[in-house]
């Protein structure tokens, strides 16, 4: 049956009026994006057809939550199905936008807005994940056409532990036939990662005809524009025994800048609270650590307080900073131009307005990166006989995202040391060009070496971040029936790669630039603009000097999944008083690999040695980054599962208020080559009281295997800032602070050592859920949730 065309028009209110001809209808509408208020106009080809035989027998359908094709157990499961019309109505052009419209999808914590502040330690770029039921990342399993996908190669950190997710943006939204969401623990059927539930993305296959869609959108008053196009073509061959379908889709999106919207272009948001109950609250996101107003301390703190012409300009430890003349205690050593040196720390409220505002300084910083995305999926099906079919899938996804971030500050794990004879050192040798006149006698004639406590090379400008994602999927399988049993078997290989490239600074080269002995040396002592101290950058350093320490850092990650499975099911193994008992079982073998290749500046290949003493400062010479070694690992997993569906009461039994009761039970065993084995059960039951009223409940145990990064990471160092109460007590005794409320001003960076643990075992969980499904017009009972669930997770761990 061929389509007879499609026409579209727009009414005066801007709502699309679509006239359908024949049985096929597509939208031609202005749509609103949930993420950026995108207005889209859809134009599509006139040829579209889906092969359909109205007289054909009903095909057995396998829905997520059960492996029994055609089973009636689905009522016991909290499964939501997002239909093609519902997908289309969202206007989503990416799976991230689609899942934001699904309430059970939870908070999308892996998403493109995360830029890491220049730090490549976590996933960024065109990446988005799903976390069902509000559980933490890594507890939701993503399937494509009922089988696993590969995890995104770059992790993010949750409670200082790396966790992985599945990148849903690799799934083409316009190529979806439906999305099945199981909002219940399903480890007993699907294995690891299904603690919170399962999302199965069913793509359009066995298609006949041509379907073309174009969509353009823009966010008014911003830099953000988006264009999406996709094409689906399918045709039968071999007199209808076979079909090949190919989907191609692409999206190009310009970046959304922070300066595009007032509320995203504020680092100091205190003015927003004026006139409210929150007025005066320190809602200030400007950072002390990224300020051009530097703070410095002699390496040898026994020198004590330093004076110039009898006036002290440091604290008792010799610490001083650069500041505008009218800040804090005022000028203690005047440098001219309303800039001076002041004593002590700048980490106090008196110097709050010296905290740098990157958003006011740089108008090109990115809120949402620019993206170019391409998806391809193809499907081949061929009926060898009435009882045997072969099929295949091939998928490819690639995306490049580009973002702009601010300059980087120095890090406590890799402090920058200034030599006594550095050209701009104000405590340099007697006779040096910039030594302060009249220094106190405790400053030796050969000068004093300094350490930078806090400074950002704001004059180096913004940094570019480019992330290239790729994902590939190949599957070949066969299915059929024999001896009354349905069977399905396939082999799958899928891999994902990420290349994260970003501008950065080399600590070794930065120190060399500072420690030059002529006027080409980098000058960290000139501060910022005293008229607007939190905005702008110094202009005292040349572009050539700044370029001397600029580098491009590159991190490359790869994950792979190879899988082979064999599954059988029979919906009518035998009959009992209430109907047919269905069973299913299967085995699965998979191999998973992970590789994290860090930049040589960060993995220890190019360590940072102090130019002055020759001592090792840090294994990382990438400024603002702790050392991170390369990581790799692999594992083999063997598993088996069994499921049974039992009808206990059927409508034909005519029991009042017990129209039907169905029971599902399942169990799964998995054996890991690196973390041991685990087996878990599940039981679910539904009770249909009357037409449209159903109660359901389930109990299950689940598990989540520790990921390959957690198991295989060698010893690494991470740096975090904490109040040091020992130093606080000392400072109080020395009268450097007046009370303990000022302890935060003595925050120190603490380097902690962390390591993977090969003795980890799978996390285990127990959950139960209960719900009621109420009738809705024109369809079967709909689960409104009112699901109540409890779950507890504990992990078997050992310390190293």
């Amino acid at each position: 049956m061929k389509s007879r065309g499609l026409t579209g028009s727009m009414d005066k209110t801007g709502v699309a009026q679509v006239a359908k001809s024949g049985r096929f209808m597509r939208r031609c509408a202005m749509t609103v994006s949930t993420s950026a208020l995108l207005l889209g106009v859809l134009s599509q080809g006139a040829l579209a057809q889906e092969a359909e035989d109205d007289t054909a027998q009903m095909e057995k359908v396998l829905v997520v939550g059960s492996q029994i094709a055609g089973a009636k157990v689905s009522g016991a499961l909290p499964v939501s199905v997002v239909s093609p019309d519902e997908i289309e109505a969202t206007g989503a052009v990416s799976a991230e936008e689609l899942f934001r419209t699904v309430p059970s999808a939870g908070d999308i914590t892996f998403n493109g807005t995360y830029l890491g502040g220049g730090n490549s330690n976590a996933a960024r770029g065109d990446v988005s994940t799903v976390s069902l039921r509000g559980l933490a990342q890594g507890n939701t399993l993503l399937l494509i056409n009922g089988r696993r996908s590969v995890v995104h190669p770059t992790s993010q950190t949750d409670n200082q532990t790396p966790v992985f997710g599945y990148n849903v943006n690799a799934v083409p939204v316009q190529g979806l036939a439906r999305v099945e969401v199981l909002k219940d623990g399903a480890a007993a059927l699907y294995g690891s990662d299904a603690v919170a539930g399962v999302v199965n993305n069913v793509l359009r296959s066995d298609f006949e005809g041509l379907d073309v869609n174009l969509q353009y959108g823009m966010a008014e008053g911003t830099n953000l524009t988006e264009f999406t196009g996709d094409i689906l073509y399918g045709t039968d061959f071999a007199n209808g025994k076979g079909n090949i379908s190919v989907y191609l889709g692409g999206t190009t999106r310009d970046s959304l800048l922070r300066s595009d919207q007032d509320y995203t272009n504020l680092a100091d948001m205190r003015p927003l609270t004026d006139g409210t109950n929150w007025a005066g609250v320190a809602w200030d996101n400007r950072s002390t650590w990224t300020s051009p107003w530097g703070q410095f301390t002699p390496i040898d703190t026994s020198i004590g307080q330093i004076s110039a012409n009898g006036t002290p300009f440091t604290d008792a430890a010799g610490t001083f900073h650069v500041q505008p003349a009218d800040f804090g205690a005022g000028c203690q050593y005047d440098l001219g131009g309303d800039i001076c040196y002041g004593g002590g720390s700048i980490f106090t409220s008196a110097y709050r307005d010296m905290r740098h505002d990157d958003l006011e300084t740089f108008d090109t910083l990115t809120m949402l990166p620019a993206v170019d995305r391409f998806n391809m999926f193809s499907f081949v099906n061929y009926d060898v006989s009435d009882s045997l079919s072969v099929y295949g899938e091939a998928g490819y996804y690639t995306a490049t995202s580009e973002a702009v971030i601010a300059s980087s500050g120095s890090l406590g794990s890799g402090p920058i040391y200034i030599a006594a004879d550095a050209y701009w050192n104000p405590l340099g040798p007697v006779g040096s060009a910039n030594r302060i006149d009249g220094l106190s006698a405790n400053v030796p004639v050969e000068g004093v070496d300094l350490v930078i406590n806090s400074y950002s090379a704001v004059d180096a400008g913004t940094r570019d971040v480019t992330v290239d994602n790729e994902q590939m999927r190949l599957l070949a399988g066969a299915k059929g029936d024999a001896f009354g049993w349905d069977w399905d078997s396939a082999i799958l290989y899928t891999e994902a790669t990420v290349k994260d490239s970003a501008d950065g600074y080399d600590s070794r080269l930065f120190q060399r630039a500072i420690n030059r002995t002529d006027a080409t040396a980098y000058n960290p002592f000139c501060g910022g603009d005293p008229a607007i101290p939190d905005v702008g950058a110094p202009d005292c350093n040349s572009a050539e000097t700044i370029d001397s320490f600029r580098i491009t850092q590159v991190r490359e990650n790869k994950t792979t999944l190879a899988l082979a499975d064999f599954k059988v099911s029979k919906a009518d193994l035998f009959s009992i008083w209430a109907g047919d008992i269905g069973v299913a079982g299967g085995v699965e073998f998979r191999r998973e690999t992970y590789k994290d290749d860090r930049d040589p500046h960060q993995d220890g290949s190019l360590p940072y040695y102090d130019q002055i003493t020759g001592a090792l400062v840090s294994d990382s010479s990438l400024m603002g980054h702790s050392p991170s070694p390369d990581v790799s690992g692999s594992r083999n997993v063997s598993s088996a599962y069994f499921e049974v569906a039992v009808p206990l009461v059927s409508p034909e039994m005519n029991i009042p208020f017990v129209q039907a009761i169905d029971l599902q039970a399942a169990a799964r065993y998995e054996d890991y080559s690196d973390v041991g084995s685990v087996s878990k059960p599940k039981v679910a039951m539904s009770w249909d009281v009357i037409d449209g009223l159903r109660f359901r409940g389930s109990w299950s145990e689940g598990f989540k295997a520790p990921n390959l990064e957690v198991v295989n990471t060698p010893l690494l160092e991470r740096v975090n800032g904490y109040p040091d109460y020992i130093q606080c007590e000392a400072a109080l005794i020395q009268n450097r602070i007046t009370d303990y409320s000022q302890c935060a001003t003595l925050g120190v960076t603490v380097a902690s050592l962390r390591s993977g643990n090969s003795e980890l075992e799978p996390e285990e969980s127990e959950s139960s859920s209960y719900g009621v499904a109420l009738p809705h017009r024109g369809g079967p009972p709909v689960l409104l949730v009112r699901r109540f669930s409890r779950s507890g997770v504990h992990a078997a761990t050992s310390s190293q």
Side-chain angles (χ1 to χ4, degrees), residues 99 140-144 147-149 166-168 171 199 201:
F99 284 112
T140 299
L141 179 63
L142 182 80
L143 304 179
I144 296 177
R147 286 184 169 89
R148 283 179 173 265
S149 181
Y166 299 89
N167 185 10
V168 297
V171 177
V199 175
N201 299 277

Side-chain angles (χ1 to χ4, degrees), residues 577 648-661 687-690:
W577 60 90
L648 300 178
V649 176
S650 67
E652 292 75 16
M653 298 172 69
N654 296 317
I655 301 176
F657 301 109
V658 187
Q659 190 175 83
I661 295 179
W687 167 27
D688 286 13
V689 182
I690 57 175

Side-chain angles (χ1 to χ4, degrees), residues 737-797:
I737 60 175
T738 58
D739 57 58
Y740 284 106
S741 66
Q742 297 176 298
C743 282
T745 69
L746 300 171
V748 297
T749 53
V750 177
S752 60
L753 297 179
R754 307 174 189 175
S755 174
N757 190 342
S758 61
E759 300 300 320
L760 285 174
E761 297 177 0
E763 297 179 25
E764 298 181 335
S765 67
E766 179 182 358
S767 66
S768 58
S769 65
Y770 313 91
V772 57
L774 301 177
H776 91 117
R777 193 181 335 179
V782 172
L783 180 68
L784 293 181
V785 178
R786 299 318 40 99
R787 273 191 330 101
F788 305 94
S789 66
R790 64 176 181 85
S791 64
V793 179
H794 68 273
T797 63

Side-chain angles (χ1 to χ4, degrees), residues 38-283:
L38 297 179
L39 294 179
V41 179
L42 173 68
S43 172
Q44 74 173 39
L47 294 177
Q49 178 182 6
E50 290 183 8
E52 180 179 39
D53 185 356
D54 295 332
T55 64
Q57 287 186 334
M58 185 73 70
E59 182 183 1
K60 294 179 181 179
V61 177
L62 188 66
V63 178
V64 67
S66 175
Q67 297 284 11
I68 306 173
K72 299 179 181 180
V73 74
S74 60
L77 306 172
V79 176
S80 298
V81 178
V82 185
S83 69
D85 289 342
E86 291 169 329
I87 294 172
E88 191 173 52
T90 67
V93 298
S94 69
E96 175 183 352
E97 293 181 2
L98 173 63
F99 284 112
R100 287 188 185 277
T101 68
V102 179
S104 58
D107 187 24
I108 300 177
T109 55
F110 278 40
N111 61 70
T113 61
Y114 177 81
L115 298 175
N119 192 316
S120 63
N121 285 337
R124 57 186 179 183
D126 186 48
V127 58
S128 180
T129 62
V130 178
S131 300
L132 292 178
R133 301 162 57 197
L135 295 185
Q137 283 293 335
N139 289 295
T140 299
L141 179 63
L142 182 80
L143 304 179
I144 296 177
N145 294 332
R147 286 184 169 89
R148 283 179 173 265
S149 181
V150 67
V151 296
H152 186 69
T154 313
S155 63
Q156 284 196 344
T157 300
D158 184 12
N159 292 325
Q160 301 186 357
T161 302
V163 294
F164 287 88
Y166 299 89
N167 185 10
V168 297
N169 284 343
V171 177
V173 170
Q174 291 80 8
L176 286 169
R178 65 182 184 274
V179 177
E180 302 167 350
V181 182
L182 173 61
K183 299 163 287 187
D184 201 3
L189 282 173
Y190 298 101
S192 181
D193 302 340
V195 173
V198 180
V199 175
N200 184 28
N201 299 277
V202 182
L203 299 173
R204 299 167 71 184
S205 60
D206 204 17
F207 180 82
E208 185 178 6
L210 177 67
D211 189 2
V212 180
N213 294 278
L214 299 175
Q215 180 169 311
Y216 175 80
M218 60 176 291
E220 186 176 357
T222 75
N223 185 68
L224 179 62
T225 62
E226 189 171 60
F227 177 77
T228 299
D230 63 87
I231 180 171
L232 177 64
Y233 173 76
T235 184
D236 289 343
F237 62 90
N239 296 320
K241 290 184 177 181
N243 177 274
I244 181 169
S245 304
V246 179
Y247 168 87
L248 300 173
T251 296
T252 182
R253 182 186 73 206
D254 291 328
S255 58
L256 177 67
L257 304 180
R258 285 191 170 274
S259 58
D260 284 340
Q261 303 162 114
D262 291 341
Y263 62 90
T264 62
N265 197 38
L266 288 174
D268 181 7
M269 294 182 283
R270 289 174 298 170
L272 298 179
T273 64
D274 290 345
T276 72
N277 292 335
W278 299 98
V281 175
W283 195 13

Side-chain angles (χ1 to χ4, degrees), residues 401-430:
S401 69
E402 297 178 342
V404 178
I405 59 177
S407 56
S408 173
S410 57
L411 189 69
S413 65
I416 304 299
Y417 298 102
I418 302 175
D421 61 350
Y423 185 79
W424 298 106
N425 188 343
L427 305 182
V430 172

